[in-house]
Amino acid sequence: MKTNKGTIVFIILWLSIFLYPLNTKASGQETPSGIPISDIEATIDEYVDEWVENTVAGVSVEVIKNHEVVFSKGYGLADIDQNMDMNPDETIMEWGSVSKLLVWVSLMQLAEQGELDLTDDIQPYLPDGFLTKVSREEPITFLNLMNHTAGFEDNVFDLGFPTPEHVTTLEEGLKVAEPNQVYPPGEVVAYSNYSTALAAFIVEQVTGEPFYEYVENEIFEPLNMNHTVIHPTFSGKEDLMEKKAKGYVLIEPSVFIESDWFYMSMYPSGGVNGTASDLTAFVQALLPMDGESSPLFKEHETLNQFLSQSYAADETINGIAHGLWEYAGAARGLYHGGNTNSFSSHVHLVPDEEFAVVVLTNQAGEMEINYGLTELLVGAERVEQEVMVQDLPPAIEGSFLATRRPQHSFIKLYFDLMPFTIKPSEEDKIEVQYAGFTGTYLQTSPNTYKLVEGDLVFHSMKQLFVQMENAKVSKISTSISDYEPYPPGKSMPYVLIYGILASIVALYFLVIPIILLIKRIRRQSKHRMSKVSIGHGILALSGTVLIVNLLILVARMLINAGRAYSEVMPQLVLNGIFTGIAGVAMLFMIVNWRITRSTTKEKIMYMLSIIFIVVLIILMSVFQFYR
């Protein structure tokens, strides 16, 4: 019997439905976490609706799958007072540290052109004597800058300003804000805005044009990113300012206060303003179709190198891919987040799945959508132990400090009070507490721990690798930062002791002027004061001025940490002046002590004042309130 060819084809197709069921995963129409693309809008709507206008003012979300934008939507308000809706195509928002990706792409472009090598020492590319605080003999390479392993301490001063008046050129900004080098290059991951801005300055030196012009010509124009500006004051694209969202800080659920916009001299580190759609166009350029080159690079190999791992503390944990963080998800991810005083952002790529998520919000420090929604779409790593429990070393414990912190400024006190604390939980688990958040980690192999549950702040540190030296923890590594033991004399017990002493001293010098004034009134002005009494009055007043000055300084930094150093320098100088006055008064008292006719009670008060001023000066020196 003859069989019609059409009948055979029909039978084969019919059988394939049962033998090889068609599904969204087989056709590549799923998110990495397994959500069908056909359900993505309903899924995102349901998730975002819980948070928008409750804990976040507004958000734009875009999703890429198989080289297409499969989702684009704005939620909430770009301007609460004007009732202006969020629009991914039109609403301008601050990208924060996502801006750094433009720097790393620029370096890759120049490396591709042979203008530099990523393993080169950066010093020959800089003007002579440009870096004045480098303390190590080992060279700093471009890879060190990209991997945040150049060894620089953090510096909060002169990073960003609420108004554009303080903005200088990139070169001047780098000179003013140069940090100390506190680690050997290549050994410690300490996130560095300075490193990124320094790399952008080298791009200027190599190309002979301002970095913002280079980015405009080599990245924005080829990708038609017409609604994005990198110039720190919007120069040349002032019209975009009219479409910029207001930024907010959450006070309590559904209560937002408007916050300042962010202006930077070191703008390559976090000064880009643009739409979610333009950011998506940039991300799409990093996920070209098979056989096609990225419009950002001439060679596909350059893109492959850019997205490959460039640093990891150990092979058992994720690391860094030339400025992008590796992510332990259902598939290997690459991401970068960003925060300013008023905005937050998140970009997450899954190259093997041809998938990406872009999130921009006008909410400072937002996590539920930036991290929570992203994890919903990209999935989480399945955490399992790789060896028998009895083969694992005992769980670690202790308190540690982030390597990304100021070490030569009074701001270091804030970081000293925010330890990364670890304690054993169960036989094979540890509990980590950081900044008021808690995460539980499972030891999956010797010295490697992976997150099994915890707050969203641990989204970027899902894996820990513990390095030991002489049977003690020498360093704890995550993909985004390292943590080290407290320096001698600076652990939490010491800090608490310092805090108690500081409170007693502060209370004393706030009360003593009142006591002396009452005493003077009772004795009446005709009573002649002794030389020791005069010296004591000057010493006590100096101590009071120092305490009041410190309280004002701390309050100013808590209200707005984004300050120029010039704004706080007068108060630091004031500390030095009144410390000197107190020292002279103390010496005057000691010299005239033998000839004083003071009562025993008065001598006790004099001694207390001398002791407390010495303690105050020591505490101010320890916590660097003179620099």
Side-chain angles (χ1 to χ4, degrees):
M1 181 179 66
K2 292 183 178 181
T3 304
N4 185 279
K5 291 183 178 179
T7 303
I8 294 175
V9 172
F10 173 80
I11 292 172
I12 291 174
L13 290 174
W14 184 80
L15 287 173
S16 68
I17 294 175
F18 295 96
L19 297 177
Y20 305 98
L22 294 176
N23 55 61
T24 54
K25 189 171 183 65
S27 59
Q29 293 302 311
E30 277 190 345
T31 72
S33 64
I35 300 170
I37 296 300
S38 58
D39 296 340
I40 196 168
E41 181 170 11
T43 301
I44 294 177
D45 283 351
E46 181 180 3
Y47 183 91
V48 171
D49 284 347
E50 180 180 352
W51 307 105
V52 169
E53 299 182 10
N54 180 25
T55 62
V56 60
V59 58
S60 287
V61 181
E62 296 206 337
V63 177
I64 300 169
K65 177 63 180 177
N66 294 340
H67 318 290
E68 296 181 359
V69 179
V70 296
F71 180 83
S72 176
K73 196 170 183 178
Y75 299 87
L77 299 174
D79 187 326
I80 294 175
D81 292 337
Q82 300 298 322
N83 199 36
M84 183 187 299
D85 291 333
M86 191 69 72
N87 187 322
D89 296 319
E90 298 181 0
T91 305
I92 306 294
M93 287 190 274
E94 295 173 1
W95 292 5
S97 288
V98 169
S99 309
K100 290 178 171 65
L101 301 185
L102 302 175
V103 180
W104 309 138
V105 166
S106 299
L107 284 187
M108 296 302 300
Q109 289 176 334
L110 295 180
E112 182 181 65
Q113 297 165 21
E115 297 290 343
L116 57 85
D117 190 292
L118 298 182
T119 60
D120 284 347
D121 181 352
I122 66 170
Q123 291 281 15
Y125 294 86
L126 293 167
D128 291 341
F130 188 82
L131 295 177
T132 63
K133 298 181 180 180
V134 172
S135 59
R136 308 289 177 159
E137 293 183 358
E138 301 91 335
I140 299 173
T141 67
F142 288 103
L143 279 176
N144 292 147
L145 299 182
M146 301 178 91
N147 296 332
H148 299 275
T149 58
F152 295 124
E153 68 174 324
D154 203 17
N155 182 10
V156 300
F157 293 113
D158 295 289
L159 175 62
F161 317 106
T163 57
E165 286 76 19
H166 290 291
V167 173
T168 64
T169 64
L170 176 57
E171 181 175 4
E172 291 171 346
L174 286 165
K175 288 181 177 179
V176 169
E178 183 184 356
N180 290 282
Q181 188 185 38
V182 293
Y183 302 109
E187 293 190 9
V188 173
V189 176
Y191 187 81
S192 174
N193 288 296
Y194 189 85
S195 289
T196 310
L198 185 62
F201 179 64
I202 293 176
V203 173
E204 291 190 346
Q205 299 299 295
V206 172
T207 63
E209 59 182 326
F211 183 70
Y212 56 82
E213 288 186 5
Y214 177 87
V215 169
E216 187 69 40
N217 296 330
E218 303 299 329
I219 298 178
F220 290 170
E221 286 187 10
L223 300 180
N224 295 315
M225 295 170 63
N226 301 318
H227 295 87
T228 299
V229 58
I230 188 172
H231 191 280
T233 60
F234 279 71
S235 178
K237 290 187 176 182
E238 290 84 356
D239 58 308
L240 294 181
M241 188 78 76
E242 300 176 0
K243 297 182 178 181
K244 185 171 177 178
K246 297 288 181 64
Y248 298 95
V249 173
L250 180 69
I251 301 301
E252 58 183 72
S254 302
V255 178
F256 306 91
I257 60 170
E258 187 177 335
S259 185
D260 296 317
W261 287 345
F262 202 62
Y263 298 89
M264 303 179 69
S265 298
M266 297 193 299
Y267 64 91
S269 293
V272 173
N273 287 264
T275 63
S277 295
D278 272 13
L279 181 53
T280 298
F282 174 76
V283 173
Q284 276 188 296
L286 301 178
L287 298 172
M289 297 182 67
D290 292 341
E292 294 187 5
S293 296
S294 166
L296 295 173
F297 306 112
K298 295 180 181 179
E299 303 292 337
H300 190 69
E301 180 55 35
T302 306
L303 176 61
N304 288 340
Q305 181 185 4
F306 179 46
L307 301 181
S308 67
Q309 187 182 88
S310 56
Y311 175 87
D314 187 75
E315 62 182 10
T316 60
I317 68 170
N318 290 322
I320 304 169
H322 300 89
L324 283 159
W325 312 115
E326 291 185 312
Y327 181 77
R332 176 181 179 264
L334 301 169
Y335 74 96
H336 209 293
N339 278 285
T340 66
N341 291 341
S342 314
F343 295 82
S344 56
S345 59
H346 196 79
V347 167
H348 193 113
L349 299 77
V350 186
D352 291 343
E353 299 281 342
E354 299 174 343
F355 183 86
V357 182
V358 171
V359 179
L360 293 180
T361 83
N362 58 341
Q363 176 72 52
E366 201 283 329
M367 288 192 293
E368 282 79 10
I369 299 175
N370 279 300
Y371 294 160
L373 175 62
T374 298
E375 183 162 308
L376 176 67
L377 299 176
V378 303
E381 177 188 32
R382 185 176 178 180
V383 178
E384 295 179 336
Q385 285 185 329
E386 301 167 6
V387 296
M388 298 295 290
V389 174
Q390 58 264 30
D391 295 330
L392 294 173
I396 60 171
E397 61 181 314
S399 294
F400 306 87
L401 287 173
T403 51
R404 181 199 177 180
R405 69 183 192 277
Q407 298 190 31
H408 295 85
S409 163
F410 67 89
I411 298 297
K412 69 186 290 293
L413 176 60
Y414 173 80
F415 292 85
D416 289 344
L417 295 172
M418 193 170 64
F420 189 84
T421 303
I422 299 176
K423 61 181 181 180
S425 175
E426 300 174 14
E427 182 180 7
D428 52 350
K429 293 180 180 178
I430 57 173
E431 181 181 279
V432 177
Q433 294 183 344
Y434 186 63
F437 299 96
T438 302
T440 300
Y441 288 75
L442 174 70
Q443 187 173 188
T444 56
S445 61
N447 300 325
T448 299
Y449 295 81
K450 295 186 178 181
L451 185 71
V452 290
E453 61 179 344
D455 295 309
L456 283 173
V457 73
F458 296 101
H459 176 92
S460 56
M461 51 180 101
K462 289 198 166 189
Q463 302 174 337
L464 308 178
F465 177 72
V466 181
Q467 297 188 33
M468 307 293 291
E469 187 174 325
N470 298 324
K472 293 183 178 181
V473 177
S474 60
K475 185 172 67 174
I476 297 174
S477 296
T478 73
S479 62
I480 67 164
S481 180
D482 289 344
Y483 298 84
E484 61 183 359
Y486 273 82
K490 299 292 179 63
S491 63
M492 278 305 294
Y494 286 98
V495 172
L496 291 175
I497 292 172
Y498 296 147
I500 293 171
L501 285 174
S503 299
I504 295 172
V505 170
L507 181 61
Y508 179 84
F509 282 114
L510 290 175
V511 171
I512 193 65
I514 300 174
I515 295 175
L516 293 179
L517 180 61
I518 294 174
K519 182 180 177 182
R520 184 61 182 162
I521 292 173
R522 285 180 176 177
R523 287 193 171 190
Q524 300 180 350
S525 59
K526 63 182 181 180
H527 183 82
R528 185 177 178 181
M529 296 177 65
S530 67
K531 290 183 178 181
V532 175
S533 179
I534 293 172
H536 178 244
I538 295 173
L539 183 148
L541 183 61
S542 298
T544 302
V545 171
L546 286 171
I547 293 298
V548 172
N549 188 51
L550 291 174
L551 292 175
I552 293 173
L553 179 59
V554 171
R556 290 181 69 205
M557 294 306 298
L558 289 175
I559 292 171
N560 179 19
R563 296 184 181 275
Y565 180 71
S566 59
E567 292 185 68
V568 300
M569 185 175 65
Q571 289 187 264
L572 300 181
V573 171
L574 197 64
N575 285 341
I577 291 173
F578 277 91
T579 296
I581 293 173
V584 171
M586 181 171 58
L587 290 174
F588 184 79
M589 290 175 65
I590 294 172
V591 169
N592 292 280
W593 189 271
R594 291 185 177 182
I595 62 175
T596 183
R597 296 180 180 180
S598 304
T599 66
T600 302
K601 288 183 179 180
E602 288 175 330
K603 289 182 178 180
I604 292 174
M605 183 179 293
Y606 298 158
M607 287 298 299
L608 284 175
S609 293
I610 291 174
I611 291 171
F612 282 146
I613 200 69
V614 170
V615 172
L616 177 58
I617 292 171
I618 292 173
L619 289 174
M620 291 176 65
S621 299
V622 169
F623 293 108
Q624 305 188 39
F625 277 100
Y626 295 108
R627 56 190 302 174

